[in-house]
Amino acid sequence: MPFDLFSVRRKGTDAEPKAGLGGELAVAQGFNSSIFWAVTLGILISASLGFYSDSSYLVTIAVLMAAMGALQFLLMRGWLKTTSAAMLSILFAGVFFSMYRFGSVSIAQASLAGIPLVYSVIVLGETTGALLLLLSIAVSGWITFLQVTDRLSHASPTIPEAQWTVLTVGLFVAFRMATLFKRYLLDANQRTQTAQNLLLQERTNSNANLKEALTELEQQKHVIDQHAIVINLQPNGEISKGNSRFVEVSGYTPAEFIGKPIASFYSGPQQDAFFGAVIDTVNREQVWRGELALRAHDGHIFWLDTTIAAFMNTDGHVREYISVSSDISKRRLAEQAANAASRAKSDFLANMSHEIRTPMNGVVGTVDVLNATQLNPEQRRLVETIHDSSLTLLQILNDVLDFSKIEAGKLELETIDIDLTTLIDGVVQLMLNMASERNIALTVWVDPTLPRVIRGDPTRVRQILFNLVGNALKFTSGRAGQPGKVEIRVQGKASHGSQSGLEIQITDNGIGMKADQVSRLFEAFTQGDTSTARRFGGTGLGLSITKRLVDMMKGELLVQSSPGVGSTFTVILPLLEAPAGQALTEKQGSTSGAEASNVQYLRTQRMRDELILIAEDNEINRDVLQEQLQLLGLRSECAYDGVEALQMWRSGRYSLLLTDCHMPNMDGFSLAMSIRDEEPAHSHIPILAITANALQGEAQRCLNSGMDDYLVKPLRIGALDAKLAVWLPDTASQTGPQVWDASALTRLVGENPEMQLRLRMRFLESASQQVGRLPLLMNAKDTAALAELAHELKSSARTVGALLLGDLCDQLEQCARQGDLATMKTLVARVETAFTEVAPRIQV
């Protein structure tokens, strides 16, 4: 690298100062370096030319130059002030020593003395420079005084020669000083100015962007103000600002709400605790969302869908709350109107239920009575047609009412113990005849690891199963080379995270459905398509009700289907296992003969001296009810309304009161309360309501008025018999098993007359064939087949309520398996007799 006199170089650096060093340090380093080399070269050149003959002067100059070299090293280490002061002292001393030595003050010497003056101002500051200026003037004046008074003598060499050397060095150092000042101070100032200009431009641009952002924000605020209600709140809850939309909706002017607590505008629906929870939420720096009701200036209530957030200071305390809301008053009014319409619909359905069920009670009750009389085949066919049609109409009404109760949120579920295997077995037994008629193989598999007893609503679980299994059988039929098949699988499944679930799958190989049909499957009053409705009939409510029941149980209902292949319906319900060892509390009856024998049949065996009081304003219903009671072996008397019934009850001749709920003059509720008020303390006559109102709440109203139980119109003789068995227990001594339990199917499938009739008729058809085969198997001594047949007949008989027949079949099965032919022959005859006796009762 060539030597550069004008550079300040160190190992690892270039001509520019090291990063982090200021311009003053760079000027000081360059200045000292220039002085050192310029003076050194000037003296050497002058000495070589013979300008100096004074060797002592040269030695002094050499010592000063060596000191300046040492100070240059310290200056390169960053010691700016100290080394600069020492360097200026040496330089100043050298210049004035030269003046004194040569005995003159020349222009060249004066210019050389001005160099440290400029340096001191730049590097050490104006104060140091002023002191150096005063010192320079004083020393120069002293030397001048000595020169003028001839007290100084000129030294060798001559003054002109010496001045040339001094002038050369001074000019060179002055030039170097100017370049250093330009490079490190003026350029730095220019860069600073450039940076300032850039900063100014950035600030201008930032201001423009800020103005644009403010304009955009103002536009957004304008749009928000047209739609949203914005309220600013102080930490103490006072309103600090409300936008024009709030003024418009509330009717208050800003002067009327600014500075007022927001709580003064709250309406009645909210409580203080509610707003306390809101404040707690936003103070945790969480956003609160909900609906608020405020009172407007004119007193009306308006509803807001609101979002509230808190904005904090740096110290963590709330600066203000901001609430942004939408006016949902119209939606609220629409919801209230919809609720009112729903209530009106419920009231209409209640009235319609009463009006339809009252005449249907006469139709169905009369048909029941006719069925119990002697009829020729043609008459019985006509009566059965009327019977089936009326029950079909009743089922449609039941579906509509069920759907209405679910839609209105008035259907309640109970949670009791369920024997899972018994429930599923009962459903399958009731469906076997339908499957047999359609040549469909109905199979069931229950996971043996499932708990025996679970918790739930058995009536609604059965309703779900009956709907889905009945639907599968309805849309399945055997085809050439492919018999019809419906399979029920019950197993455990993880659902709802880690919670155990009960999975019920019903799979068929029926007609199947397309994807668009599946998407509409659970809509109310619809079926897969119009051709399906024409071919298979129905209201289209069954699956809709099923879906809503599953949803109420917090379960899932899934469907997979393909046209021509079949369908799979999967129900997943939360599995709530009953506590271990807990006895069943479900009142669903039992298929065991031991329990069945504890229930006694009341028909024709009831005490003839018991008298029933009937309060009913409808003449047809009075006649039908009296006929039904007569068939059950009971006498009755009738009253037209509650007033007449109360007078008759006061005679004290009646064992039980059957009363309609809605009658002129005095209804059934008032009648019951009047009787409870008047009857002696230790006397209690059973009062049973007969109501046509099947909506929720009617039963509880009956009980609240003092009634003991209720029956729903149209009143079936079997249901009446079951209730009388509870409230008029027979006092006659009886030891044999019950022949017929009319309430067995009701406990299994609920109040579903159409389904009950269909199941009973199918039982009669299949049972008559099975009973007819028994003598043939007995004569053939085929004990294995006879035992199997007796087992099948036992289960189905107990399911429909033919308990005596079921018990006899149970005994016959045991004897057949033991090979006791003598007892088998007797039991076959008794089974035939029992079936003949129970068949007419099953038909009513």
Side-chain angles (χ1 to χ4, degrees):
M1 178 183 296
F3 175 76
D4 185 357
L5 181 65
F6 299 94
S7 299
V8 182
R9 293 187 179 275
R10 292 180 295 166
K11 183 178 180 181
T13 67
D14 54 18
E16 294 298 325
K18 184 178 179 181
L21 296 178
E24 293 87 351
L25 180 60
V27 170
Q29 290 176 350
F31 174 73
N32 293 344
S33 176
S34 300
I35 290 291
F36 179 81
W37 291 111
V39 172
T40 300
L41 291 176
I43 295 300
L44 291 175
I45 293 173
S46 298
S48 64
L49 295 176
F51 293 163
Y52 294 101
S53 59
D54 190 346
S55 59
S56 62
Y57 179 75
L58 294 177
V59 171
T60 301
I61 293 298
V63 172
L64 292 175
M65 296 309 297
M68 291 179 64
L71 290 174
Q72 178 70 9
F73 174 78
L74 296 177
L75 187 63
M76 293 175 65
R77 303 294 294 177
W79 295 10
L80 175 62
K81 301 294 183 180
T82 303
T83 55
S84 294
M87 189 72 73
L88 287 172
S89 299
I90 293 172
L91 181 60
F92 186 82
V95 170
F96 285 98
F97 173 73
S98 171
M99 291 180 181
Y100 182 80
R101 181 74 176 83
F102 294 139
S104 66
V105 179
S106 65
I107 296 175
Q109 290 171 326
S111 66
L112 187 62
I115 293 174
L117 181 62
V118 175
Y119 178 87
S120 65
V121 172
I122 295 174
V123 177
L124 299 179
E126 294 181 6
T127 301
T128 304
L131 293 175
L132 187 61
L133 175 63
L134 294 175
L135 181 62
S136 299
I137 293 173
V139 174
S140 299
W142 176 66
I143 294 175
T144 302
F145 173 76
L146 293 178
Q147 185 180 11
V148 171
T149 58
D150 293 327
R151 296 182 181 183
L152 289 178
S153 58
H154 296 292
S156 179
T158 63
I159 292 175
E161 296 170 337
Q163 288 194 85
W164 179 86
T165 303
V166 173
L167 183 61
T168 301
V169 173
L171 290 174
F172 178 81
V173 174
F175 171 79
R176 182 59 176 158
M177 192 69 183
T179 58
L180 291 172
F181 181 78
K182 170 67 171 59
R183 179 181 301 175
Y184 294 106
L185 297 183
L186 293 181
D187 286 354
N189 182 65
Q190 185 178 1
R191 287 195 297 271
T192 301
Q193 185 65 34
T194 302
Q196 289 176 344
N197 291 336
L198 290 175
L199 289 174
L200 182 61
Q201 182 63 39
E202 288 182 4
R203 186 174 68 178
T204 302
N205 294 337
S206 297
N207 289 338
N209 293 336
L210 179 60
K211 184 177 180 180
E212 182 180 355
L214 290 174
T215 302
E216 183 178 352
L217 185 61
E218 187 66 26
Q219 293 172 345
Q220 293 175 354
K221 180 179 179 299
H222 175 73
V223 174
I224 291 174
D225 285 344
Q226 304 308 306
H227 172 75
I229 297 169
V230 182
I231 303 174
N232 295 58
L233 301 171
Q234 297 293 338
N236 61 1
E238 293 181 355
I239 301 177
S240 60
K241 185 180 180 182
N243 69 345
S244 58
R245 181 67 175 150
F246 178 62
V247 173
E248 176 187 347
V249 173
S250 69
Y252 294 100
T253 64
E256 291 174 315
F257 62 74
I258 291 179
K260 300 291 180 63
I262 186 66
S264 62
F265 300 94
Y266 292 153
S267 67
Q270 285 102 185
Q271 302 296 325
D272 292 340
F274 169 79
F275 292 103
V278 175
I279 297 301
D280 288 343
T281 299
V282 296
N283 283 351
R284 293 195 301 270
E285 299 188 45
Q286 297 177 358
V287 176
W288 181 88
R289 295 181 178 88
E291 295 182 359
L292 298 177
L294 302 182
R295 188 175 300 278
H297 189 273
D298 60 4
H300 81 272
I301 304 299
F302 62 97
W303 283 87
L304 302 178
D305 185 2
T306 303
T307 300
I308 302 177
F311 291 84
M312 304 295 185
N313 290 318
T314 55
D315 60 1
H317 293 87
V318 176
R319 182 176 73 250
E320 68 174 344
Y321 301 104
I322 295 182
S323 166
V324 180
S325 309
S326 297
D327 185 5
I328 57 171
S329 301
K330 291 183 179 179
R331 191 190 79 188
R332 275 280 183 163
L333 290 174
E335 290 175 353
Q336 292 173 2
N339 292 334
S342 178
R343 288 192 297 270
K345 181 183 70 175
S346 297
D347 293 340
F348 169 78
L349 289 173
N351 293 330
M352 185 60 64
S353 170
H354 184 275
E355 295 302 321
I356 294 177
R357 287 174 182 275
T358 296
M360 284 186 64
N361 185 61
V363 175
V364 176
T366 302
V367 172
D368 282 344
V369 173
L370 282 175
N371 263 328
T373 63
Q374 295 295 325
L375 301 174
N376 61 43
E378 180 62 19
Q379 290 172 329
R380 187 167 298 281
R381 185 184 66 80
L382 293 174
V383 169
E384 288 177 353
T385 300
I386 299 172
H387 189 268
D388 291 347
S389 299
S390 61
L391 290 183
T392 300
L393 180 60
L394 181 60
Q395 182 58 41
I396 294 173
L397 179 63
N398 287 338
D399 281 348
V400 173
L401 289 175
D402 262 354
F403 181 78
S404 176
K405 285 189 283 187
I406 294 174
E407 190 178 48
K410 294 183 177 180
L411 184 68
E412 294 182 355
L413 300 176
E414 61 179 347
T415 302
I416 58 176
D417 295 349
I418 305 173
D419 187 321
L420 183 60
T421 303
T422 300
L423 185 147
I424 296 171
D425 184 61
V427 172
V428 172
Q429 290 296 329
L430 291 173
M431 290 296 181
L432 280 175
N433 290 337
M434 180 179 180
S436 178
E437 289 175 358
R438 300 178 64 84
N439 194 28
I440 298 172
L442 177 60
T443 60
V444 61
W445 179 83
V446 179
D447 188 346
T449 63
L450 287 173
R452 174 180 174 268
V453 182
I454 63 174
R455 300 280 292 173
D457 189 325
T459 301
R460 297 306 174 183
V461 173
R462 285 194 200 93
Q463 186 175 359
I464 291 170
L465 287 173
F466 276 125
N467 281 343
L468 295 180
V469 176
N471 212 58
L473 294 173
K474 180 179 179 180
F475 293 103
T476 301
S477 60
R479 297 189 292 271
Q482 184 178 359
K485 180 176 65 175
V486 173
E487 179 183 10
I488 306 171
R489 290 184 62 86
V490 184
Q491 58 192 357
K493 179 180 179 64
S495 67
H496 305 285
S498 59
Q499 182 179 350
S500 298
L502 178 68
E503 181 182 87
I504 304 172
Q505 279 191 347
I506 295 94
T507 304
D508 65 67
N509 62 347
I511 61 175
M513 294 173 287
K514 299 177 181 178
D516 62 326
Q517 294 173 316
V518 173
S519 66
R520 302 191 307 270
L521 196 59
F522 301 119
E523 296 177 7
F525 306 102
T526 62
Q527 289 185 325
D529 54 30
T530 55
S531 63
T532 301
R534 289 194 299 268
R535 289 171 56 195
F536 299 99
T539 62
L541 282 176
L543 287 178
S544 178
I545 292 173
T546 299
K547 177 66 167 64
R548 298 188 183 213
L549 287 175
V550 171
D551 290 342
M552 289 178 66
M553 295 178 183
K554 303 186 184 305
E556 297 179 88
L557 178 55
L558 310 174
V559 184
Q560 292 180 327
S561 187
S562 298
V565 177
S567 305
T568 297
F569 286 77
T570 303
V571 177
I572 302 175
L573 301 175
L575 180 58
L576 305 176
E577 185 175 355
Q582 182 170 313
L584 285 176
T585 59
E586 179 193 356
K587 299 177 181 178
Q588 63 181 27
S590 172
T591 56
S592 69
E595 293 185 13
S597 63
N598 293 329
V599 184
Q600 303 300 320
Y601 182 61
L602 301 173
R603 191 181 203 185
T604 72
Q605 297 173 348
R606 206 179 308 277
M607 296 292 292
R608 290 282 180 175
D609 58 352
E610 291 181 324
L611 185 60
I612 308 298
L613 175 59
I614 301 172
E616 170 65 70
D617 64 315
N618 186 283
E619 182 179 359
I620 296 175
N621 286 342
R622 289 198 303 269
D623 293 341
V624 170
L625 191 52
Q626 281 194 295
E627 288 292 335
Q628 290 175 325
L629 290 172
Q630 184 177 357
L631 285 172
L632 295 174
L634 291 168
R635 297 177 298 114
S636 60
E637 293 180 357
C638 296
Y640 173 78
D641 60 14
V643 174
E644 184 180 4
L646 182 60
Q647 293 295 330
M648 296 175 67
W649 168 79
R650 288 170 179 163
S651 67
R653 298 183 299 114
Y654 304 102
S655 302
L656 183 141
L657 169 62
L658 292 171
T659 179
D660 186 22
C661 290
H662 303 280
M663 298 180 292
N665 301 321
M666 178 185 283
D667 61 19
F669 305 112
S670 300
L671 173 61
M673 288 188 287
S674 297
I675 290 176
R676 296 306 179 216
D677 290 339
E678 293 186 21
E679 65 184 356
H682 300 291
S683 175
H684 185 89
I685 179 175
I687 302 177
L688 275 62
I690 303 175
T691 177
N693 189 349
L695 292 180
Q696 185 182 15
E698 186 79 356
Q700 190 60 46
R701 187 181 177 190
C702 293
L703 299 177
N704 292 342
S705 65
M707 300 180 187
D708 298 286
D709 211 334
Y710 70 98
L711 292 154
V712 179
K713 294 179 182 179
L715 181 58
R716 304 301 309 279
I717 191 172
L720 177 61
D721 191 10
K723 292 295 185 183
L724 293 176
V726 175
W727 298 107
L728 279 183
D730 194 359
T731 58
S733 175
Q734 301 180 23
T735 58
Q738 180 181 358
V739 176
W740 168 241
D741 180 7
S743 62
L745 280 176
T746 301
R747 291 193 296 268
L748 286 175
V749 299
E751 293 287 349
N752 193 329
E754 180 187 18
M755 181 178 289
Q756 290 186 27
L757 176 65
R758 185 171 66 248
L759 295 172
R760 291 200 308 272
M761 293 301 101
R762 287 175 183 160
F763 169 75
L764 284 177
E765 182 178 351
S766 62
S768 61
Q769 297 175 0
Q770 291 171 323
V771 171
R773 289 179 56 201
L774 289 176
L776 299 177
L777 296 174
M778 182 68 217
N779 292 334
K781 298 181 180 180
D782 189 348
T783 56
L786 196 147
E788 187 65 28
L789 182 60
H791 176 78
E792 294 178 6
L793 185 56
K794 171 190 67 175
S795 297
S796 58
R798 286 173 171 171
T799 298
V800 299
L803 301 182
L804 176 60
L805 178 61
D807 280 0
L808 292 173
C809 289
D810 185 26
Q811 298 175 35
L812 179 59
E813 178 188 1
Q814 302 304 322
C815 290
R817 298 193 187 283
Q818 296 170 6
D820 187 351
L821 296 177
T823 306
M824 285 170 53
K825 186 174 182 180
T826 302
L827 286 173
V828 167
R830 291 184 62 188
V831 167
E832 292 175 314
T833 302
F835 178 71
T836 302
E837 181 181 353
V838 80
R841 299 174 182 176
I842 295 176
Q843 297 177 16
V844 296

